[in-house]
């Protein structure tokens, strides 16, 4: 159960941090926020120093007052545990709580997200605080969600972490021989003969900058270990909360494709997923859509909370452009379209000082409701209040799945060669975008689904499936044999979970499924492009990497054009296996080329899809009895499109008939169509 | 009294460092320098290691000889105290004397400007050396100026500095509560409960790179503290000198818009301002002019020393182009035009080794007077000797003032958001340049002048007056009410002296004066431009930041062109307040747009101004009975211009009549016009 | 005697590292490698951790088996000593073995080439291992070469190195006064009064980034000291080997123009030169040719080993393009053409894990001989086997010499000013390339050859001969007087071996020889170009630096074009001295301008040269009775060229008659022409 479902309406609120203001401001806030139909506040995100002013003393008096005020004013509360920033006294008294950085420097006090995850002091006191909070507030009916810490991430390379890493390794590998084999330490004579010889891979050890390493296996394992260590911090606090509050959902806010943490692993420990959406001024809407879908995918399609977005502008981007009139609304509905049941802002009131003081807020420094941003927020609040809760819990029904895997992400980007421009998220995004352009629903899924779980999809796409972990090839093969379709690309099937290459010909365990053998891959510098010619003679550019391959049962769908020694050799292939097919794309196709390929796939399936102008997306969530179509203009110009169904626009209660419909700049229709 | 005035002639000399040469070279130097009419030498700048070869021993024998030689040869002397570079033995014996850097690393021996300003050892021995020098040489008649240390700057982050910072904070804030409020530490839970929890904001603490910070208030205060700490070093030595020499002017060489030190605060402690002018090959002449004016402004218009310039080329720029024939002369007169009574070079003789060996000198490695550079220097020497001292002490009479404020500089550039391309000096420079293009005299003034002091100006310009310190808004308002004109821009009136935002609507304390309310500011990425249309329909590009504002009494002088949601809204405004007016420019106007605005202002006032070709400037200094016009061609081509007055060109004693005059490449006229 | 000559055939093999594989793979490797006519394996490069698993224990059992296997299969062996990567246990037990980096951080275990050269522990155990290897295997007949460590390089800045540096300085300079004079420490007051005050020049000391320094003399000496220290490591192991093996040639693999080590000094200690050739995808063939010639020049023309090249692609470049079909063969012959008697690969079998796993190999991850790369390797193997050993030991007969000097390289790039774009290798390369374009043989020589040794050359070219060490000017002058021709450029004759400027006019000790005085040098920013007009009115662009000079006996061959104040002044000159001539080029001429100049020189001499298409080179090696011409198409297109001689193509045993010949893409002819 998501926090919002509990209440039959969409949660609409955000981060609220009144401690820096006098009381009279609080009362004014309550009036303004109520006026905007805001019904929820996330509080206590960075208050540890206030709650525990010294090692010996806790002081909940201010928090008591804030909760009381919110409760009296009928707000729901997302209660954070405040452990994302250490109190200064703790850093001074217990140096183990701060981190040692990639350069090997132990930090003094500063910043946030600054706790060493393996610090005994941090672990003790963070649990203690979470327990105290739960004991004191966990019984309150309007605490709708616990929010542990905030935007977890980062790494530590201190001696405590080194020691914990060795314990983690022993648990994973049992013996040093197994470690040496896993990391192929023999290469460059790195064989370890004692656990104590193993160090975290930072600038003083085996790392080569942030994104390369003498022993990629070590670096990947350190990322696994760090993700696990920080997850343990989360679990520590969760357990502490559960001592006094057995029920209220617990979350922490994630950050889309953020590299540091294996969110699929994390999501298993979270009652609901929440996340912070901060696109840059030029982030394509397809990227934002993908991250929403990824967040929804973390818990197998469960609705999520949009924990943070700015109502107007950010402050920490290079260029913090304003959201245009209507754009905040459109982006809020985009979040809902892709699975959000909660719309929150960072922040309800703009801070008066420190680093984020120019980050937008519902109540700005102008301290009034007479602002564009307040008006737009209030209008959205009213709209959502009228909408009620019918849509809560509605689900996406996708026939296409896209695999996203953090371990693969790490491994691919630690790989030395063949091309430094190869980036994991870019690779995933370009395939996502091709489906998005056709308004085809996509689920983002982990790499370890069973063939049975995959069976509901017509197509599973796994770009750069570089690391193939145990069982994955088998699952995919069974899935295809049973009628599924699978598509993967260059740089797939190369290494096992320890980053050791599958010997015997690329793409390793996927070779039989794909029916191709990739003998070599050429790397293209940025100034160089190749040509891909499909069997229908349509021709597209390619770049980055060009596989040179042999057909072993697959059919060529496209071959390279003239100009290189591998001209005329196959580059896009299709392999019939059992009832299904396996596709392979041996190069970085230009977007139009991927569109062409996706077009061929659409022709095979009865996927619901829509042709829309570039800035318009149509996305569907479904309840048992109805489909909810979000028709969103993500751009600043008016757009016209063809619409096929009879339905009702829930935002204005007007009937929408099949035919041409027009959306103003950043306009939205939410059309309910009966099943 | 400036050092040069004492002698009724312009000081013409430079840095002289004969210790690396055998004696026969010294005698040759005297002949060559005398031949060039050089009448001054700055000595002893980096000789500490020689003067104090060990902790126990001082040795002045070489310096005695140098001073004797210069005295015999009738040179004036600027005597440096040599404390800008530590002796190696001191760094080895007393590690507290070296700095801890931004990355947190304590330095061993190396470089220069390398002393921790809060090192007890450094403070003790630097004072002792200054006292010894003063005792020994302070009575000499030809010591015309003391030069303490050299090009002060930099930061230290050591534990001594941390301790001194806490003392400084206690003096400023009295209580920790006041510190917490000033820095808004509650944000991100940084509340301090003990002074010992506060650390310098470097990479191990609260800084986020050099130009961002978790707590901007802390970072700004650390800059204040560092500027003060280093100023204390200067004052230490000044006091030591004054024990034995009560009279001779004392200075240290500044560096224009150098960010580290609050030069307005420093200048109060200096008997005269001196500075080093090192433009790059592509520095516009308007920038150099502005820095001269800033240096003149530091002591309210007093003439300054040009302590260093190269006679030919520099060595530490990326591209060390030669000054073209005549260019050194033109730049020397430009310095005089803007207030210099002294023209010095770094350096009189070129060094034979170490990092600056390729820096130009009057006597080059060729070791002869048969060089272009020597010839040009000697020619200038003769010219200055003939000029005598009539011009000494002459002052600039400006009707336009431009506010430059180091605290504002620091605060603006620590601000996170809205646009990383926003740079303080750029903002000041573009307004300066618009007046410079019209040959209108401008004073650079501090931010804290009283309304009475401002009253002599027709117009006060304060671009990006981000930080408005106590009293500033009141002074400006009184100034305007009494008939003054004030112009400011976007990003003004935002924060108080602790970098906390004025709540209630931008531009905060300037809102009433300006008659506008800025509701939002949009940040434009580099590829994006807007349009500004003045009421006369003239149209200019704008970029960087676009304010969205409401008129509250002001009149619109220009509005935004089409293309954005804030099209047609006001962007340049004019507010009648009492007898004066307050202008607001809500965006980064293209240069032509600022020219348009300045043109409108010129039409209102009877400012002396001249229309000249782009490379020609006309600048005036005034004595009681005469005006001295410097007509300078800063470019490599011949230029012709209109000239309005009857006068005498002091450089050739010819009459200059009104009419067209022609200047050769880098040509100069110095026209005396009787009052 | 080079290792390959011993056997009457070209060594053809590479790095072999079977320890990471099970035994069955070894047997398969033997079959595959034999099939490719590979006759040599370099082994044991990074096996220290395996050979000495703990301080007390050595274990040669695996190495025994590898050697036995190779011997049984008739492979020659290049036996490495394995000391290029420390065992982890050693780093943990003896922290002195790891390095302190430029930033001042002492490293823990990680990477390779990671030993502090002045670590007592490292020196003790590296010698011990080398001795044990020699004792155990030195007697084996098929050990054809010892390979000490691997790709030596890097720097250490630890306290052990500081102490050793002081000892090194005492040996060089005897007194501190001499050090102070050498480094001109008086500048900026750096005078040292005790040896203990001297520190390595890293970020905590006198360095200003990697490529600048307060005291260039110190930084240059530290590079000398580091090169010497690491050379001592090499000599330590060499001595240990020689205790048991008095004969087998000893080498270590160098890296072309690699900056860290003074390879001319190193080569004196090596029995034969070997090196690793890793061009990037866009490295011009003239650069590779130059590095081969440099490696050949290190031992005065002796043939060298190509120790490493990739058969297909690299992994650590930004863009690791494949070698095109035929390109590996063409590049192998290019190596031979310029002096290699050995062609080796890194590597024989591709690694399964760790950082270089995507580096190409003869046996790829596909684990089969059915690959393009294997086929090409085998084809080359067969070709080389047929070729036999006739060419072994053949020598290059060049009439043009090009000076390359590491101390000059270091000094020039530490120079602060005049232009940051000035790079030593670029300067050498552009002159090399001009001769290469004419297919004129060039020897790369050190700077200290006697006039007698120089006498065999018609022309000696020394671009940017910035540092002129004792005797060099005298040797060059005698050489020219006796009829030689000498060409040098701007930035020559400036400093002595300690980086102190020759006083009295540039180019210092070369001024009389060149007959010019360079009064000034202008630095051009990247956007600016000048013009050079030769006496025949042909005109070329110039850039970077423009000397302004006076003729003192030389004749002008070219002068500057219009546009600058030094228009019409001489820029290329020619000075008749005795029987010879000395040329000076006072600017960075565009390539076409250098070609023009080289064309004028060709007209004076009877050098053998060939006109070929841009991608084709013709290179000659000579035996007593025959000349061997390598005609190589380094490009992907077919090329046609004129060929003057009657001979036999040894690669297909066909007669080659004078006339037009055609080479396919990457085609090669090896034409034997009888003398």
């Amino acid at each position: 159960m998501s926090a919002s479902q509990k209440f039959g309406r969409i949660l609409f609120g955000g981060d609220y941090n009144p401690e820096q203001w006098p009381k009279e401001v609080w009362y004014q806030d309550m009036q303004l926020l109520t006026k905007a139909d805001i019904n929820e506040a996330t509080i206590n995100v960075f208050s540890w120093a206030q709650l525990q002013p010294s090692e010996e003393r806790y002081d909940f008096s201010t928090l008591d007052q804030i909760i009381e005020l919110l409760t009296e004013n009928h707000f729901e509360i997302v209660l954070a545990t405040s452990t994302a920033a250490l109190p200064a006294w703790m850093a001074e008294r217990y140096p183990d709580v701060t981190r040692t950085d990639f350069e090997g420097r132990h930090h003094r006090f500063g910043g946030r997200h600054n706790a060493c995850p393996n610090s005994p002091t941090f672990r003790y006191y963070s649990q203690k605080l979470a327990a105290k909070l739960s004991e004191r507030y966990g019984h309150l009916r309007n605490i709708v969600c616990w929010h542990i810490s905030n935007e977890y991430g980062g790494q530590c390379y201190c001696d405590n972490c080194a020691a914990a890493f060795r314990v983690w390794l022993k648990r994973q590998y049992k013996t040093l021989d197994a470690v040496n084999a896993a990391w192929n330490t023999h290469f460059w004579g790195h064989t370890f003969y004692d656990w104590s010889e193993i160090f975290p891979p930072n600038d003083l050890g085996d790392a080569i900058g942030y994104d390369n390493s003498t022993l990629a296996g070590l670096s990947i394992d350190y990322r696994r270990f760090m993700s696990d260590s920080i997850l343990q911090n989360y679990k520590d606090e969760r357990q502490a909360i559960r001592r006094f509050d057995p029920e209220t959902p617990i979350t922490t806010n994630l950050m889309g494709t953020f590299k540091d943490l294996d969110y699929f692993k994390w999501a298993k420990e979270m009652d609901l997923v929440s996340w912070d959406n901060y696109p840059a001024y030029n982030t394509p809407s397809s990227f934002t859509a993908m991250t929403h879908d990824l967040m929804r995918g973390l818990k197998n399609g469960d609705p999520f909370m949009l924990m943070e977005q700015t109502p107007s502008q950010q402050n920490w981007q290079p260029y913090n452009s304003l959201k245009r009139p209507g754009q905040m609304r459109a982006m809020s509905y985009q979040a809902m379209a892709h699975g959000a049941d909660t719309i929150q802002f960072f922040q309800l009131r703009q801070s008066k000082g420190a680093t984020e003081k120019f980050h937008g807020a519902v109540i700005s420094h102008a301290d009034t409701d007479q602002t564009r941003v307040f008006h737009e927020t209030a209008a959205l609040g009213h709209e959502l209040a009228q909408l009620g809760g019918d849509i809560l819990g509605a689900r996406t029904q996708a026939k296409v799945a896209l695999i996203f895997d953090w371990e693969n992400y790490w491994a691919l980007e630690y790989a030395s060669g063949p091309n430094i421009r190869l980036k994991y998220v870019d690779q995933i995004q370009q395939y996502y975008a091709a489906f998005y352009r056709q308004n085809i629903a996509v689920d983002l899924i982990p790499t370890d689904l069973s063939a049975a779980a995959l069976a509901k999809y017509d197509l599973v796409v796994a770009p750069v499936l570089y690391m193939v972990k145990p069982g994955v090839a088998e699952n995919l093969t069974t899935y295809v044999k049973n009628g599924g379709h699978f598509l993967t690309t260059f740089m797939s099937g190369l290494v096992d979970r320890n980053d050791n290459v599958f010997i015997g010909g690329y793409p390793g365990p996927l070779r039989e499924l794909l029916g191709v053998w990739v003998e070599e891959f050429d790397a293209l510098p940025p100034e160089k492009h190749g040509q891909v010619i499909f069997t229908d003679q349509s021709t597209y550019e390619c770049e980055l990497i060009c596989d040179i391959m042999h057909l072993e049962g697959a059919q060529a769908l496209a071959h390279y054009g003239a100009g290189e020694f591998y001209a005329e050799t196959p580059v896009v292939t299709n392999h019939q296996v059992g009832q299904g097919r396996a596709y392979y794309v041996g190069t970085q196709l230009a977007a139009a080329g991927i569109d062409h390929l996706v077009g061929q796939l659409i022709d095979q399936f009865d996927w619901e899809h829509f042709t829309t102008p570039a800035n318009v997306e149509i996305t569907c969530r479904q309840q048992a009895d109805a489909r909810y179509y979000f028709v969103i203009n993500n751009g600043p110009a008016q757009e016209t499109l063809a619409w096929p169904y009879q339905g009702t626009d829930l935002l204005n209660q007007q009937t929408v008939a099949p035919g041409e419909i027009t959306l103003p700049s950043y306009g939205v229709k939410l059309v309910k169509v009966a099943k």
Side-chain angles (χ1 to χ4, degrees), chain A residues 579-599:
Chain A
Q579 307 301 310
R581 289 179 174 201
Y583 296 88
Y584 187 80
V585 183
T587 188
Q588 164 76 65
L589 266 177
I594 300 179
D595 284 345
H596 181 81
L597 191 58
V598 167

Side-chain angles (χ1 to χ4, degrees), chain A residues 655-669:
Chain A
T655 298
V656 182
E660 208 166 66
I661 59 176
T662 296
L663 290 169
S665 160
Y666 298 109
V668 180
K669 288 189 183 299

Side-chain angles (χ1 to χ4, degrees), chain A residues 8-155:
Chain A
R9 57 179 176 172
I10 291 161
L11 282 191
F12 184 57
D15 192 274
Y16 185 49
N17 184 19
E19 293 92 330
Q20 61 184 293
W21 305 99
K23 282 278 176 63
E24 56 269 29
V25 174
W26 301 16
Y27 300 121
Q28 182 189 341
D29 290 343
M30 292 300 99
Q31 289 186 309
L32 290 173
L33 299 175
T34 300
K35 193 168 171 182
D37 271 335
I38 281 175
N39 58 33
E40 181 275 341
T42 296
I43 58 172
N44 202 43
V45 180
F46 288 108
S47 306
W48 196 348
Q50 189 187 59
L51 299 176
Q52 190 181 5
S54 70
E55 188 163 9
E56 299 75 20
R57 194 160 67 87
Y58 287 85
D59 175 358
F60 294 97
S61 57
T62 303
L63 184 55
D64 285 351
Q65 292 169 35
I66 294 168
I67 289 177
E68 190 178 2
L69 181 80
L70 290 166
T71 304
E72 283 169 2
N73 284 276
H74 313 295
F75 285 83
E76 313 300 342
I77 293 171
V78 174
L79 186 57
T81 61
S82 258
T83 53
L86 298 165
W89 64 258
M90 196 183 291
E92 197 202 3
R93 189 175 291 189
Y94 300 107
D96 69 286
V97 299
T98 58
R99 291 182 180 176
T100 295
D101 66 18
F102 192 78
E103 289 74 27
R105 305 171 303 186
H106 192 69
H107 280 232
R108 305 215 278 204
F109 179 66
R112 56 173 186 166
H113 312 135
N114 46 11
C116 166
N118 290 297
S119 154
T121 307
F122 173 72
R123 293 190 61 191
Y124 176 76
Y125 279 115
S126 59
Q127 291 177 65
K128 191 165 170 187
L129 180 62
K132 281 183 178 284
L133 288 165
S134 179
E135 184 178 18
R136 191 173 192 96
Y137 305 113
H139 63 284
L140 296 175
R141 292 186 56 94
N142 64 329
I143 305 281
V144 295
C145 187
W146 287 96
H147 170 16
I148 294 178
S149 190
N150 186 66
E151 293 183 347
Y152 276 116
Q155 281 86 25

Side-chain angles (χ1 to χ4, degrees), chain A residues 346-367:
Chain A
F346 179 80
Q347 50 197 341
L348 296 185
R349 176 178 272 279
Q350 198 164 16
S351 188
K352 74 176 172 194
T355 189
E356 294 190 328
K357 65 182 175 294
F358 290 128
H359 197 290
V362 173
I363 305 170
S364 75
H365 291 145
D367 195 25

